[in-house]
Amino acid sequence: MKVLLPGNVDLSDLALPSTAAGFTYAVDQPVPDEHADAEVLVVWGNPEWQLRDAAARLKGLRWVQTLAAGPDVVLAAGFPAQVVVTSGRGLHDVTVTEHTLALVLAAARRLNLLIRAQIGHRWAGELGGNQPVRDQSFRTLRDAHVVIWGFGSIAATLAPILTALGARVTGVARTAGTRHGVTVVTEADFPTVLPTTDVLISILPAAPSTRHAFDAEVAALLPAHAWFVNVGRGATVDEAALLAAIRAGRLAGAALDVTETEPLPPGSPLWDEPNVILSPHAAGGRPIGAPALILENLAALEEGRPLRNVVER
Ligand SMILES: NC(=O)c1ccc[n+]([C@@H]2O[C@H](COP(=O)([O-])OP(=O)(O)OC[C@H]3O[C@@H](n4cnc5c(N)ncnc54)[C@H](OP(=O)(O)O)[C@@H]3O)[C@@H](O)[C@H]2O)c1
């Protein structure tokens, strides 16, 4: 079985079985004609045009494994329905958790304002020294109500750390229940959950059902002191509605690792908003455990068993 491996990620630990022949390809080039007979394509950071080209030319393809947790770019490429697509769900749990914590704590401790003050050589005394133990603004995770919207693999790693720091965590997903000790509700319960939320963290995938999920209505249900943190996908946020809520003082701020257009255009008003923290889709980016996932799914494919992380489509 011919397996095409992306050249932009270290897969030197991947010991393919004797039944498979691995070939490394450049993700920013069309797959060479000599490899158009591949049955397996492993994907990491391939541009959309490259995937569309592969979808059209690799006629014998059986399985596409993306190392990204979000399969949206692969799904948009148009691979035929019989090609199994699996995601890198689980490979980014730790790094995205770290980045989310960094954004949440930056918001709580107002690093956005502190860095602005530092650049101006100004001692921001209003943000230091004696502070009230409790006030109406979001300043600490202790006793904060943190809502994680998209309570999947990453949330399972993030939630216990937030809890350990004293937060009360609620999850939002498509089905309700208790997951990893956390109460998970559906979006139907937003009207009861959002008004008591201090931080809304979105880890939603990009899908037709999640497009502009964060909109003016959601913003209006949040208290004015709440922060919104997005490490999922930019397409899930109506950025105009978000910015309007922040500018009107109806929302304290937003920390965004992902935006609707990436890279964020230089003219975007998000850049200059003091209470917007931006990072350049930097939360994941380092798939951890990719060789084990590839080997597990390769064995499953060869033996006719179900693969891990199959994407519904
Ligand atoms: N910023 C980055 O660098 C970075 C890195 C990795 C991942 N991501 C993003 O994070 C996303 C989540 O990753 P994950 O590994 O945690 O995925 P996951 O395990 O598949 O979790 C996704 C969660 O979203 C929920 N969900 C899906 N559609 C929903 C909807 N319409 N309304 C409410 N909840 C919905 C799912 O609910 P159910 O459990 O009920 O199905 C599930 O809990 C990825 O798809 C990707 O877009 C970003």
Side-chain angles (χ1 to χ4, degrees):
M1 188 176 307
K2 182 179 274 190
V3 179
L4 297 185
L5 300 166
N8 58 348
V9 61
D10 180 7
L11 294 173
S12 52
D13 290 347
L14 179 66
L16 289 174
S18 56
T19 50
F23 296 90
T24 301
Y25 74 99
V27 300
D28 57 355
Q29 303 289 324
V31 171
D33 285 339
E34 67 190 282
H35 292 321
D37 57 346
E39 288 172 82
V40 179
L41 180 67
V42 180
V43 165
W44 175 239
N46 305 40
E48 288 172 27
W49 69 263
Q50 198 275 353
L51 288 172
R52 277 197 303 275
D53 177 75
R57 288 179 43 242
L58 274 55
K59 302 290 187 201
L61 209 55
R62 296 172 62 194
W63 164 43
V64 176
Q65 170 71 63
T66 173
L67 303 183
D72 40 306
V73 181
V74 172
L75 292 184
F79 288 97
Q82 73 273 14
V83 176
V84 178
V85 174
T86 53
S87 77
R89 183 178 189 264
L91 305 183
H92 303 273
D93 294 353
V94 170
T95 50
V96 178
T97 290
E98 286 179 350
H99 200 83
T100 309
L101 280 174
L103 294 178
V104 169
L105 293 173
R109 297 309 172 127
R110 305 297 193 266
L111 292 194
N112 52 316
L113 302 181
L114 293 176
I115 289 167
R116 279 178 152 80
Q118 181 181 348
I119 290 168
H121 294 201
R122 186 178 75 80
W123 183 262
E126 73 280 10
L127 295 170
N130 294 346
Q131 298 288 324
V133 175
R134 283 177 207 286
D135 63 14
Q136 284 305 304
S137 60
F138 167 58
R139 300 286 174 166
T140 170
L141 278 171
R142 179 146 296 278
D143 297 330
H145 184 199
V146 179
V147 174
I148 304 181
W149 191 7
F151 201 88
S153 189
I154 294 166
T157 299
L158 174 64
I161 299 171
L162 295 168
T163 306
L165 290 171
R168 183 164 55 87
V169 178
T170 302
V172 182
R174 287 174 295 189
T175 53
T178 301
R179 302 188 193 180
H180 311 283
V182 172
T183 300
V184 174
V185 301
T186 66
E187 280 169 6
D189 285 319
F190 257 178
T192 55
V193 167
L194 290 178
T196 63
T197 298
D198 297 299
V199 187
L200 175 62
I201 300 173
S202 175
I203 324 181
L204 284 174
S209 63
T210 60
R211 189 180 141 65
H212 285 195
F214 183 101
D215 57 9
E217 207 177 318
V218 170
L221 284 169
L222 286 164
H225 72 264
W227 274 73
F228 174 62
V229 175
N230 189 13
V231 293
R233 283 287 185 267
T236 65
V237 176
D238 178 343
E239 288 170 357
L242 173 66
L243 197 58
I246 294 171
R247 286 182 169 170
R250 285 184 276 106
L251 194 64
L256 309 174
D257 183 51
V258 286
T259 49
E260 189 145 28
T261 305
E262 294 180 4
L264 186 64
S268 168
L270 291 171
W271 287 113
D272 293 320
E273 193 59 34
N275 286 319
V276 170
I277 299 171
L278 293 166
S279 60
H281 203 139
R286 298 172 179 82
I288 296 168
L293 177 62
I294 295 168
L295 285 182
E296 179 186 328
N297 274 344
L298 188 61
L301 185 75
E302 286 179 332
E303 293 160 22
R305 290 185 283 109
L307 278 66
R308 178 144 66 104
N309 293 355
V310 171
V311 178
E312 301 161 25
R313 59 194 187 117

